[in-house]
Amino acid sequence: MKTAIVTGATGFVGVHLVAELLSSGVEVTALCRKESPNLDRLPGQVEIVYDMDQLPEADVFYHLAWDGASGPGRADAVLQSSNVKLTLGALAAAHRSGAKFVALGTVYERFYEQVIMSGEYRSSDFYILSKSYAHSISNQMAYKLGCSFVWCQVCHPIGRLIKPEQLIAYTVSSLVSRDAPSYGPAENLFDIVAVEDVAKALLLIGKQNTPRREYYIGSGAPCLLRDYLERAKQILDVPTPLLIGKRPDDGYVFDRGWLDITPLSEDTGFAPVISFEQAVQNVESWLKEC
């Protein structure tokens, strides 16, 4: 891989992916919105393009852009649905550029059936449904176009630039400010991975002739959410209590098989290198800067 296009390049994962690509000698073109408030996050050697029809040829097209990936936007059905159209547009652009298409999804897509069968509404439903649909319809479109296609899933990446509403950012911010954070039972299996490791995995998937169309990117050592929270408190070494069990259970139960990085490791040699402790400390330092 000598050249890459990245959508969502100014976002949390995108900034780290761009840095990883540049450090590996890859020329990067970032597809951005003119009104993006974070264009200054991109180094000068990145070519910025604002029109999807003006993209150059490339070896790999990374699609990370997704409006409303966290916070209140998850509950906006129209906004979430627009991301499906954006994904198909990105795939078509990748096809025109002659590039391998690598998209970043979420393991929460696997709750698609649970959402439609539940008979009730939760604020993350439209996000889950749209991510799942974007995955399936772009996969089929890639077959139609004859594109090289890989869809990646993550659970909870953390590190610098993380949004404050994300779980570990909320936890770190609350603990440090002595404002006890509250949760559900936290007995569900969970997987937290450093965002730098996610970027490394995406680089490897782009560089290599990967035989599969889907990979999970994670820590390789998922554990109960309660354990992650308690470890974060120990790392920060603060007296603030964790109010576990104060909120209702969100009902999401991950299958351990969903969080398995073995296929990724076998096909690319990927192995996480950033410890949970270092990743939490990175979150803490970032929140202090904000």
Side-chain angles (χ1 to χ4, degrees), residues 180-184 241-247:
S182 60
Y183 313 89
L242 296 167
L243 302 182
I244 295 176
K246 292 295 183 180
R247 296 188 185 185

Side-chain angles (χ1 to χ4, degrees), residues 67-138:
D67 291 330
S70 62
R74 284 192 171 197
D76 187 330
V78 174
L79 177 64
Q80 291 301 324
S81 297
S82 70
N83 287 309
V84 178
K85 183 178 180 180
L86 176 64
T87 301
L88 288 175
L91 177 61
H95 179 57
R96 291 193 299 271
S97 298
K100 177 180 182 178
F101 184 75
V102 180
L104 186 63
T106 172
V107 74
Y108 281 86
E109 297 166 34
R110 295 181 178 273
F111 292 114
Y112 167 84
E113 187 172 354
Q114 179 178 322
V115 169
I116 61 175
M117 297 296 292
S118 68
E120 58 182 358
Y121 166 77
R122 287 179 291 195
S123 60
S124 58
D125 285 354
F126 299 132
Y127 170 73
I128 291 171
L129 293 174
S130 294
K131 275 287 192 181
S132 177
Y133 185 45
H135 180 178
S136 59
I137 196 170
S138 60

Side-chain angles (χ1 to χ4, degrees), residues 6-238:
V6 182
T7 74
T10 64
F12 173 43
V13 178
V15 169
H16 291 87
L17 174 59
V18 168
E20 189 70 30
L21 290 167
L22 292 175
S23 68
S24 296
V26 179
E27 295 180 9
V28 177
T29 299
L31 178 62
C32 301
R33 293 175 296 187
K34 289 183 178 180
E35 66 274 17
S36 171
N38 298 314
L39 290 176
D40 59 350
R41 290 178 173 178
L42 297 176
Q45 62 264 51
V46 173
E47 179 183 0
I48 299 176
V49 174
Y50 300 106
D51 187 342
M52 194 174 285
D53 292 328
Q54 301 300 319
L55 290 169
E57 293 184 356
D59 297 318
V60 181
F61 190 117
Y62 290 101
H63 179 52
L64 277 58
W66 191 276
D67 291 330
S70 62
R74 284 192 171 197
D76 187 330
V78 174
L79 177 64
Q80 291 301 324
S81 297
S82 70
N83 287 309
V84 178
K85 183 178 180 180
L86 176 64
T87 301
L88 288 175
L91 177 61
H95 179 57
R96 291 193 299 271
S97 298
K100 177 180 182 178
F101 184 75
V102 180
L104 186 63
T106 172
V107 74
Y108 281 86
E109 297 166 34
R110 295 181 178 273
F111 292 114
Y112 167 84
E113 187 172 354
Q114 179 178 322
V115 169
I116 61 175
M117 297 296 292
S118 68
E120 58 182 358
Y121 166 77
R122 287 179 291 195
S123 60
S124 58
D125 285 354
F126 299 132
Y127 170 73
I128 291 171
L129 293 174
S130 294
K131 275 287 192 181
S132 177
Y133 185 45
H135 180 178
S136 59
I137 196 170
S138 60
N139 182 52
Q140 291 305 114
M141 181 59 71
Y143 279 125
K144 178 180 179 180
L145 296 174
C147 294
S148 179
F149 175 95
V150 180
W151 189 273
C152 305
Q153 295 178 335
V154 293
C155 180
H156 192 60
I158 68 171
R160 292 180 57 81
L161 304 181
I162 191 172
K163 292 184 177 180
E165 65 267 22
Q166 291 288 327
L167 176 66
I168 289 297
Y170 160 72
T171 299
V172 171
S173 177
S174 298
L175 289 173
V176 170
S177 64
R178 305 298 195 267
D179 182 15
S182 60
Y183 313 89
E187 294 294 339
N188 52 308
L189 191 66
F190 207 63
D191 192 27
I192 296 177
V193 61
V195 66
E196 295 91 344
D197 284 330
V198 174
K200 173 64 75 174
L202 290 170
L203 170 72
L204 292 171
I205 290 168
K207 287 176 63 175
Q208 301 186 28
N209 185 22
T210 47
R212 306 177 216 227
R213 297 174 73 86
E214 182 176 325
Y215 290 97
Y216 175 73
I217 303 172
S219 70
C223 64
L224 295 182
L225 176 56
R226 175 188 292 269
D227 294 337
Y228 277 122
L229 299 175
E230 291 175 347
R231 286 167 60 193
K233 176 177 163 59
Q234 292 172 358
I235 291 165
L236 297 171
D237 192 23
V238 293

